[in-house]
Amino acid sequence: EAQVTQNPRYLITVTGKKLTVTCSQNMNHEYMSWYRQDPGLGLRQIYYSMNVEVTDKGDVPEGYKVSRKEKRNFPLILESPSPNQTSLYFCASTGDGRYGYTFGSGTRLTVV
Amino acid sequence: EDQVTQSPEALRLQEGESSSLNCSYTVSGLRGLFWYRQDPGKGPEFLFTLYSAGEEKEKERLKATLTKKESFLHITAPKPEDSATYLCAVQATSGGSYIPTFGRGTSLIVHP
């Protein structure tokens, strides 16, 4: 089944403790993105990648890092999480940017 | 700056009561306009891509249309299972990346 897989689905962590949210797609897509979704603010792009080793900032990149060492994987790294990063995170991919993204199931992160 | 405004924010319908959701956009040049459906706690699911004014796409009870300034998602004789948040997104022709800008969505509830 063609899909984007994120892990974990739920995560509660403490301020300052580094964490990684993994994302993997099995569709050989070139484009991958990370979004956060907050009530009243909608979906906002954090980082995106157009191909292996090619990444760029989205609208809200502060406090996040990404890497794209392999085509299928696009992890999101929070080096020092803070409470304002509590949110619902989505990874998404597309093979051709003219078509819609396939989204993962989401990771609900709580930073206390 | 690209902008996407969806209205209404929330819509309640009786089963069988047809209606339309609106997506107004401001973009320097439109590469594509996308509609997604999002169920609570899940990732958005791609519905349609529209590329040029006058274009229409249909899927079951949903029909999307596009003009130069807005798109409509028409829902004909909705059923309770159509209840979800519907998201609109646009991609601009400027720049080399396929970064969509999302609206905040319309939350649709269909009562039996």
Side-chain angles (χ1 to χ4, degrees), chain B residues 61-95:
Chain B
R61 294 176 292 281
L62 300 177
K63 179 180 174 179
T65 62
L66 180 65
T67 72
K68 288 187 177 180
K69 293 186 177 182
E70 58 191 350
S71 176
F72 292 94
L73 185 65
H74 308 277
I75 304 177
T76 302
K79 298 182 177 181
E81 53 261 42
D82 294 323
S83 299
T85 295
Y86 290 87
L87 300 170
C88 172
V90 297
Q91 278 185 354
T93 54
S94 59

mmCIF file of all heavy atoms in Angstrom, chain B residues 61-95:
data_model
loop_
_atom_site.group_PDB
_atom_site.id
_atom_site.type_symbol
_atom_site.label_atom_id
_atom_site.label_comp_id
_atom_site.label_asym_id
_atom_site.label_seq_id
_atom_site.Cartn_x
_atom_site.Cartn_y
_atom_site.Cartn_z
ATOM 1 N N ARG B 61 -20.275 12.833 -4.479
ATOM 2 C CA ARG B 61 -21.179 13.964 -4.240
ATOM 3 C C ARG B 61 -20.455 15.306 -4.288
ATOM 4 O O ARG B 61 -21.050 16.346 -4.046
ATOM 5 C CB ARG B 61 -21.850 13.787 -2.871
ATOM 6 C CG ARG B 61 -22.785 12.580 -2.827
ATOM 7 C CD ARG B 61 -23.358 12.386 -1.426
ATOM 8 N NE ARG B 61 -22.332 11.994 -0.482
ATOM 9 C CZ ARG B 61 -21.847 10.762 -0.372
ATOM 10 N NH1 ARG B 61 -22.307 9.818 -1.167
ATOM 11 N NH2 ARG B 61 -20.921 10.469 0.521
ATOM 12 N N LEU B 62 -19.171 15.301 -4.563
ATOM 13 C CA LEU B 62 -18.367 16.519 -4.559
ATOM 14 C C LEU B 62 -18.038 16.969 -5.986
ATOM 15 O O LEU B 62 -17.698 16.156 -6.840
ATOM 16 C CB LEU B 62 -17.054 16.278 -3.806
ATOM 17 C CG LEU B 62 -17.158 15.851 -2.344
ATOM 18 C CD1 LEU B 62 -15.773 15.591 -1.784
ATOM 19 C CD2 LEU B 62 -17.874 16.902 -1.528
ATOM 20 N N LYS B 63 -18.110 18.279 -6.172
ATOM 21 C CA LYS B 63 -17.729 18.873 -7.449
ATOM 22 C C LYS B 63 -16.955 20.157 -7.180
ATOM 23 O O LYS B 63 -17.456 21.028 -6.480
ATOM 24 C CB LYS B 63 -18.954 19.185 -8.292
ATOM 25 C CG LYS B 63 -18.651 19.831 -9.641
ATOM 26 C CD LYS B 63 -19.955 20.079 -10.383
ATOM 27 C CE LYS B 63 -19.764 20.833 -11.659
ATOM 28 N NZ LYS B 63 -21.052 21.044 -12.361
ATOM 29 N N ALA B 64 -15.749 20.252 -7.711
ATOM 30 C CA ALA B 64 -14.918 21.432 -7.525
ATOM 31 C C ALA B 64 -14.868 22.233 -8.813
ATOM 32 O O ALA B 64 -14.720 21.672 -9.891
ATOM 33 C CB ALA B 64 -13.511 21.033 -7.096
ATOM 34 N N THR B 65 -14.978 23.550 -8.671
ATOM 35 C CA THR B 65 -14.894 24.451 -9.810
ATOM 36 C C THR B 65 -13.873 25.538 -9.522
ATOM 37 O O THR B 65 -13.544 25.804 -8.358
ATOM 38 C CB THR B 65 -16.259 25.088 -10.115
ATOM 39 O OG1 THR B 65 -16.674 25.867 -8.988
ATOM 40 C CG2 THR B 65 -17.307 24.023 -10.402
ATOM 41 N N LEU B 66 -13.380 26.173 -10.594
ATOM 42 C CA LEU B 66 -12.319 27.169 -10.437
ATOM 43 C C LEU B 66 -12.571 28.370 -11.331
ATOM 44 O O LEU B 66 -12.907 28.224 -12.514
ATOM 45 C CB LEU B 66 -10.963 26.549 -10.794
ATOM 46 C CG LEU B 66 -9.736 27.451 -10.683
ATOM 47 C CD1 LEU B 66 -9.499 27.853 -9.222
ATOM 48 C CD2 LEU B 66 -8.507 26.761 -11.256
ATOM 49 N N THR B 67 -12.420 29.576 -10.731
ATOM 50 C CA THR B 67 -12.402 30.812 -11.501
ATOM 51 C C THR B 67 -11.037 31.457 -11.281
ATOM 52 O O THR B 67 -10.179 30.886 -10.610
ATOM 53 C CB THR B 67 -13.511 31.781 -11.056
ATOM 54 O OG1 THR B 67 -13.165 32.322 -9.767
ATOM 55 C CG2 THR B 67 -14.858 31.079 -10.983
ATOM 56 N N LYS B 68 -10.845 32.655 -11.784
ATOM 57 C CA LYS B 68 -9.538 33.308 -11.653
ATOM 58 C C LYS B 68 -9.255 33.794 -10.240
ATOM 59 O O LYS B 68 -8.111 34.096 -9.904
ATOM 60 C CB LYS B 68 -9.448 34.478 -12.634
ATOM 61 C CG LYS B 68 -9.316 34.029 -14.083
ATOM 62 C CD LYS B 68 -9.065 35.184 -15.007
ATOM 63 C CE LYS B 68 -8.861 34.688 -16.437
ATOM 64 N NZ LYS B 68 -8.603 35.796 -17.385
ATOM 65 N N LYS B 69 -10.299 33.849 -9.401
ATOM 66 C CA LYS B 69 -10.081 34.373 -8.056
ATOM 67 C C LYS B 69 -10.563 33.440 -6.956
ATOM 68 O O LYS B 69 -10.276 33.672 -5.781
ATOM 69 C CB LYS B 69 -10.774 35.725 -7.890
ATOM 70 C CG LYS B 69 -10.178 36.821 -8.728
ATOM 71 C CD LYS B 69 -10.811 38.169 -8.397
ATOM 72 C CE LYS B 69 -10.147 39.292 -9.199
ATOM 73 N NZ LYS B 69 -10.716 40.612 -8.857
ATOM 74 N N GLU B 70 -11.341 32.408 -7.310
ATOM 75 C CA GLU B 70 -11.866 31.554 -6.258
ATOM 76 C C GLU B 70 -12.219 30.171 -6.791
ATOM 77 O O GLU B 70 -12.325 29.956 -8.003
ATOM 78 C CB GLU B 70 -13.085 32.192 -5.589
ATOM 79 C CG GLU B 70 -14.225 32.505 -6.543
ATOM 80 C CD GLU B 70 -15.291 33.377 -5.875
ATOM 81 O OE1 GLU B 70 -15.256 33.582 -4.648
ATOM 82 O OE2 GLU B 70 -16.192 33.836 -6.609
ATOM 83 N N SER B 71 -12.403 29.280 -5.840
ATOM 84 C CA SER B 71 -12.831 27.919 -6.169
ATOM 85 C C SER B 71 -13.996 27.576 -5.254
ATOM 86 O O SER B 71 -14.068 28.060 -4.115
ATOM 87 C CB SER B 71 -11.695 26.926 -5.962
ATOM 88 O OG SER B 71 -12.126 25.593 -6.186
ATOM 89 N N PHE B 72 -14.896 26.769 -5.774
ATOM 90 C CA PHE B 72 -16.022 26.299 -4.982
ATOM 91 C C PHE B 72 -15.990 24.778 -4.916
ATOM 92 O O PHE B 72 -15.662 24.107 -5.898
ATOM 93 C CB PHE B 72 -17.352 26.747 -5.603
ATOM 94 C CG PHE B 72 -17.581 28.228 -5.539
ATOM 95 C CD1 PHE B 72 -17.230 29.043 -6.599
ATOM 96 C CD2 PHE B 72 -18.140 28.809 -4.408
ATOM 97 C CE1 PHE B 72 -17.430 30.422 -6.550
ATOM 98 C CE2 PHE B 72 -18.352 30.176 -4.349
ATOM 99 C CZ PHE B 72 -17.987 30.976 -5.414
ATOM 100 N N LEU B 73 -16.336 24.294 -3.733
ATOM 101 C CA LEU B 73 -16.545 22.848 -3.573
ATOM 102 C C LEU B 73 -18.028 22.654 -3.308
ATOM 103 O O LEU B 73 -18.522 23.020 -2.246
ATOM 104 C CB LEU B 73 -15.701 22.306 -2.418
ATOM 105 C CG LEU B 73 -15.744 20.790 -2.230
ATOM 106 C CD1 LEU B 73 -15.132 20.076 -3.432
ATOM 107 C CD2 LEU B 73 -15.012 20.379 -0.958
ATOM 108 N N HIS B 74 -18.714 22.138 -4.313
ATOM 109 C CA HIS B 74 -20.148 21.921 -4.207
ATOM 110 C C HIS B 74 -20.400 20.516 -3.659
ATOM 111 O O HIS B 74 -19.823 19.544 -4.150
ATOM 112 C CB HIS B 74 -20.815 22.066 -5.583
ATOM 113 C CG HIS B 74 -20.477 23.344 -6.284
ATOM 114 N ND1 HIS B 74 -21.136 24.533 -6.030
ATOM 115 C CD2 HIS B 74 -19.542 23.615 -7.230
ATOM 116 C CE1 HIS B 74 -20.629 25.483 -6.794
ATOM 117 N NE2 HIS B 74 -19.667 24.960 -7.535
ATOM 118 N N ILE B 75 -21.284 20.458 -2.656
ATOM 119 C CA ILE B 75 -21.636 19.160 -2.075
ATOM 120 C C ILE B 75 -23.117 18.927 -2.342
ATOM 121 O O ILE B 75 -23.969 19.677 -1.834
ATOM 122 C CB ILE B 75 -21.338 19.126 -0.578
ATOM 123 C CG1 ILE B 75 -19.864 19.476 -0.345
ATOM 124 C CG2 ILE B 75 -21.664 17.764 0.007
ATOM 125 C CD1 ILE B 75 -19.467 19.554 1.106
ATOM 126 N N THR B 76 -23.401 17.909 -3.131
ATOM 127 C CA THR B 76 -24.775 17.615 -3.529
ATOM 128 C C THR B 76 -25.343 16.485 -2.677
ATOM 129 O O THR B 76 -24.722 15.426 -2.560
ATOM 130 C CB THR B 76 -24.826 17.215 -5.007
ATOM 131 O OG1 THR B 76 -24.287 18.271 -5.805
ATOM 132 C CG2 THR B 76 -26.264 16.936 -5.445
ATOM 133 N N ALA B 77 -26.496 16.749 -2.075
ATOM 134 C CA ALA B 77 -27.185 15.747 -1.237
ATOM 135 C C ALA B 77 -26.221 15.078 -0.272
ATOM 136 O O ALA B 77 -26.008 13.852 -0.329
ATOM 137 C CB ALA B 77 -27.896 14.723 -2.128
ATOM 138 N N PRO B 78 -25.597 15.867 0.610
ATOM 139 C CA PRO B 78 -24.584 15.297 1.500
ATOM 140 C C PRO B 78 -25.145 14.259 2.448
ATOM 141 O O PRO B 78 -26.333 14.287 2.807
ATOM 142 C CB PRO B 78 -24.059 16.515 2.256
ATOM 143 C CG PRO B 78 -25.179 17.494 2.235
ATOM 144 C CD PRO B 78 -25.843 17.295 0.904
ATOM 145 N N LYS B 79 -24.234 13.363 2.883
ATOM 146 C CA LYS B 79 -24.551 12.345 3.865
ATOM 147 C C LYS B 79 -23.703 12.587 5.107
ATOM 148 O O LYS B 79 -22.676 13.262 5.028
ATOM 149 C CB LYS B 79 -24.267 10.959 3.296
ATOM 150 C CG LYS B 79 -25.106 10.611 2.069
ATOM 151 C CD LYS B 79 -24.793 9.201 1.581
ATOM 152 C CE LYS B 79 -25.680 8.830 0.388
ATOM 153 N NZ LYS B 79 -25.409 7.449 -0.086
ATOM 154 N N PRO B 80 -24.097 12.016 6.249
ATOM 155 C CA PRO B 80 -23.302 12.220 7.481
ATOM 156 C C PRO B 80 -21.820 11.862 7.303
ATOM 157 O O PRO B 80 -20.963 12.503 7.915
ATOM 158 C CB PRO B 80 -23.993 11.302 8.485
ATOM 159 C CG PRO B 80 -25.424 11.270 8.042
ATOM 160 C CD PRO B 80 -25.356 11.302 6.532
ATOM 161 N N GLU B 81 -21.513 10.894 6.469
ATOM 162 C CA GLU B 81 -20.110 10.507 6.271
ATOM 163 C C GLU B 81 -19.301 11.557 5.509
ATOM 164 O O GLU B 81 -18.069 11.445 5.403
ATOM 165 C CB GLU B 81 -19.999 9.150 5.559
ATOM 166 C CG GLU B 81 -20.764 9.046 4.265
ATOM 167 C CD GLU B 81 -22.106 8.345 4.449
ATOM 168 O OE1 GLU B 81 -22.803 8.639 5.461
ATOM 169 O OE2 GLU B 81 -22.465 7.522 3.582
ATOM 170 N N ASP B 82 -19.942 12.564 4.999
ATOM 171 C CA ASP B 82 -19.239 13.688 4.363
ATOM 172 C C ASP B 82 -18.745 14.701 5.399
ATOM 173 O O ASP B 82 -18.039 15.649 5.052
ATOM 174 C CB ASP B 82 -20.146 14.399 3.354
ATOM 175 C CG ASP B 82 -20.502 13.509 2.171
ATOM 176 O OD1 ASP B 82 -19.628 12.742 1.733
ATOM 177 O OD2 ASP B 82 -21.652 13.576 1.707
ATOM 178 N N SER B 83 -19.120 14.504 6.648
ATOM 179 C CA SER B 83 -18.666 15.403 7.716
ATOM 180 C C SER B 83 -17.152 15.322 7.846
ATOM 181 O O SER B 83 -16.591 14.236 7.995
ATOM 182 C CB SER B 83 -19.331 15.026 9.046
ATOM 183 O OG SER B 83 -20.732 15.152 8.968
ATOM 184 N N ALA B 84 -16.500 16.464 7.764
ATOM 185 C CA ALA B 84 -15.034 16.543 7.814
ATOM 186 C C ALA B 84 -14.654 18.008 7.688
ATOM 187 O O ALA B 84 -15.514 18.877 7.484
ATOM 188 C CB ALA B 84 -14.389 15.746 6.678
ATOM 189 N N THR B 85 -13.369 18.285 7.794
ATOM 190 C CA THR B 85 -12.850 19.610 7.459
ATOM 191 C C THR B 85 -12.299 19.561 6.045
ATOM 192 O O THR B 85 -11.552 18.648 5.693
ATOM 193 C CB THR B 85 -11.749 20.044 8.442
ATOM 194 O OG1 THR B 85 -12.318 20.190 9.740
ATOM 195 C CG2 THR B 85 -11.145 21.379 8.019
ATOM 196 N N TYR B 86 -12.684 20.542 5.235
ATOM 197 C CA TYR B 86 -12.242 20.595 3.843
ATOM 198 C C TYR B 86 -11.233 21.734 3.699
ATOM 199 O O TYR B 86 -11.509 22.872 4.055
ATOM 200 C CB TYR B 86 -13.439 20.780 2.913
ATOM 201 C CG TYR B 86 -14.289 19.533 2.879
ATOM 202 C CD1 TYR B 86 -15.292 19.329 3.822
ATOM 203 C CD2 TYR B 86 -14.073 18.542 1.927
ATOM 204 C CE1 TYR B 86 -16.061 18.162 3.820
ATOM 205 C CE2 TYR B 86 -14.834 17.374 1.911
ATOM 206 C CZ TYR B 86 -15.815 17.200 2.870
ATOM 207 O OH TYR B 86 -16.569 16.037 2.863
ATOM 208 N N LEU B 87 -10.063 21.372 3.202
ATOM 209 C CA LEU B 87 -8.954 22.312 3.065
ATOM 210 C C LEU B 87 -8.707 22.642 1.610
ATOM 211 O O LEU B 87 -8.781 21.777 0.741
ATOM 212 C CB LEU B 87 -7.675 21.714 3.656
ATOM 213 C CG LEU B 87 -7.688 21.339 5.138
ATOM 214 C CD1 LEU B 87 -6.441 20.549 5.490
ATOM 215 C CD2 LEU B 87 -7.789 22.579 5.994
ATOM 216 N N CYS B 88 -8.383 23.895 1.370
ATOM 217 C CA CYS B 88 -8.016 24.365 0.038
ATOM 218 C C CYS B 88 -6.556 24.811 0.104
ATOM 219 O O CYS B 88 -6.106 25.347 1.126
ATOM 220 C CB CYS B 88 -8.922 25.545 -0.330
ATOM 221 S SG CYS B 88 -8.495 26.417 -1.825
ATOM 222 N N ALA B 89 -5.815 24.578 -0.964
ATOM 223 C CA ALA B 89 -4.415 25.008 -1.020
ATOM 224 C C ALA B 89 -4.086 25.450 -2.434
ATOM 225 O O ALA B 89 -4.639 24.926 -3.401
ATOM 226 C CB ALA B 89 -3.488 23.875 -0.597
ATOM 227 N N VAL B 90 -3.167 26.428 -2.548
ATOM 228 C CA VAL B 90 -2.743 26.897 -3.867
ATOM 229 C C VAL B 90 -1.234 26.792 -3.999
ATOM 230 O O VAL B 90 -0.498 26.931 -3.028
ATOM 231 C CB VAL B 90 -3.179 28.360 -4.139
ATOM 232 C CG1 VAL B 90 -4.691 28.465 -4.147
ATOM 233 C CG2 VAL B 90 -2.557 29.315 -3.156
ATOM 234 N N GLN B 91 -0.804 26.538 -5.224
ATOM 235 C CA GLN B 91 0.614 26.570 -5.563
ATOM 236 C C GLN B 91 0.809 27.678 -6.586
ATOM 237 O O GLN B 91 0.074 27.768 -7.562
ATOM 238 C CB GLN B 91 1.063 25.249 -6.175
ATOM 239 C CG GLN B 91 1.386 24.168 -5.188
ATOM 240 C CD GLN B 91 1.933 22.933 -5.874
ATOM 241 O OE1 GLN B 91 1.954 22.859 -7.088
ATOM 242 N NE2 GLN B 91 2.358 21.969 -5.104
ATOM 243 N N ALA B 92 1.842 28.498 -6.350
ATOM 244 C CA ALA B 92 2.127 29.595 -7.261
ATOM 245 C C ALA B 92 3.161 29.166 -8.290
ATOM 246 O O ALA B 92 3.952 28.256 -8.062
ATOM 247 C CB ALA B 92 2.638 30.808 -6.483
ATOM 248 N N THR B 93 3.148 29.861 -9.411
ATOM 249 C CA THR B 93 4.126 29.559 -10.453
ATOM 250 C C THR B 93 5.479 30.188 -10.153
ATOM 251 O O THR B 93 6.488 29.771 -10.688
ATOM 252 C CB THR B 93 3.650 30.089 -11.815
ATOM 253 O OG1 THR B 93 3.351 31.491 -11.696
ATOM 254 C CG2 THR B 93 2.416 29.351 -12.272
ATOM 255 N N SER B 94 5.505 31.186 -9.263
ATOM 256 C CA SER B 94 6.770 31.849 -8.930
ATOM 257 C C SER B 94 7.628 30.930 -8.087
ATOM 258 O O SER B 94 7.134 30.176 -7.263
ATOM 259 C CB SER B 94 6.516 33.160 -8.186
ATOM 260 O OG SER B 94 5.803 32.918 -7.004
ATOM 261 N N GLY B 95 8.940 30.998 -8.292
ATOM 262 C CA GLY B 95 9.822 30.131 -7.523
ATOM 263 C C GLY B 95 9.920 28.747 -8.133
ATOM 264 O O GLY B 95 9.081 28.346 -8.928
#
